Amino acid sequence: MADSLATLKARIASELNRADLTTQIASAVTSAIAFYRSYRFEFNELIFAFNTVAGQQTATAPANPGEIDSIRLTTGASIYVLEPINFAEMQELTNSTTETGRPTRWSWYTQTLYLHPVPDAIYSMAMSCVHRQAAPANDAD
């Protein structure tokens, strides 16, 4: 496996036996990364740990998650798996009550994680997801 973007491009040029395609190879690599970044591979599966904020419905989550597999909450020795709901259901729950407590449901909308009920304390959370990695910014990456 290539250890940098430069190594990958050089390997492709070598395998094609073409030194005159540097721009085209770079473009093809960037396109392939953009196409496959939401696909599940073992290197882009992520468990992201974070904490809730008491009284705040939204939580900090990883940038660019693809498919979210699960969100777990740990309190003491207990682990709870939160139920995913669509954002319309989340809005309905939020509009009809100002309930606080241990979150039991989650929704993902506009790159924001919403929890219900609104956390009444700091809870330890873990999101299992596919991380949509960005293309390397330079040849050393």
Side-chain angles (χ1 to χ4, degrees), residues 20 58 104 125 127:
D20 61 332
T58 60
T104 58
M125 309 285 282
M127 173 191 284

Side-chain angles (χ1 to χ4, degrees), residues 50 57 59 61 65-73 80-87 89-90 93 103-109 112-117 125-129:
F50 60 97
Q57 183 184 25
E67 181 180 352
I68 298 173
D69 299 320
S70 69
I71 298 178
R72 297 180 326 247
L73 179 149
Y80 302 92
V81 178
L82 277 62
E83 174 189 356
I85 60 174
N86 67 47
F87 188 65
E89 290 174 288
M90 181 63 71
L93 289 169
T104 58
R105 299 176 184 96
W106 66 271
S107 182
W108 182 259
Y109 192 72
T112 304
L113 176 64
Y114 292 86
L115 302 169
H116 186 270
M125 309 285 282
M127 173 191 284
S128 302
C129 63

Side-chain angles (χ1 to χ4, degrees), residues 1-12 15 29 136 139-141:
M1 187 149 122
D3 60 359
S4 72
L5 182 58
T7 305
L8 177 63
K9 291 193 275 189
R11 180 178 168 189
I12 292 170
E15 289 180 7
V29 168
D139 281 351
D141 290 346

Side-chain angles (χ1 to χ4, degrees), residues 17-40:
N17 198 23
R18 296 280 302 267
D20 61 332
L21 297 176
T22 55
T23 302
Q24 294 86 346
I25 290 170
S27 178
V29 168
T30 300
S31 294
I33 291 169
F35 182 82
Y36 286 105
R37 72 185 222 148
S38 292
Y39 283 64
R40 182 180 300 274

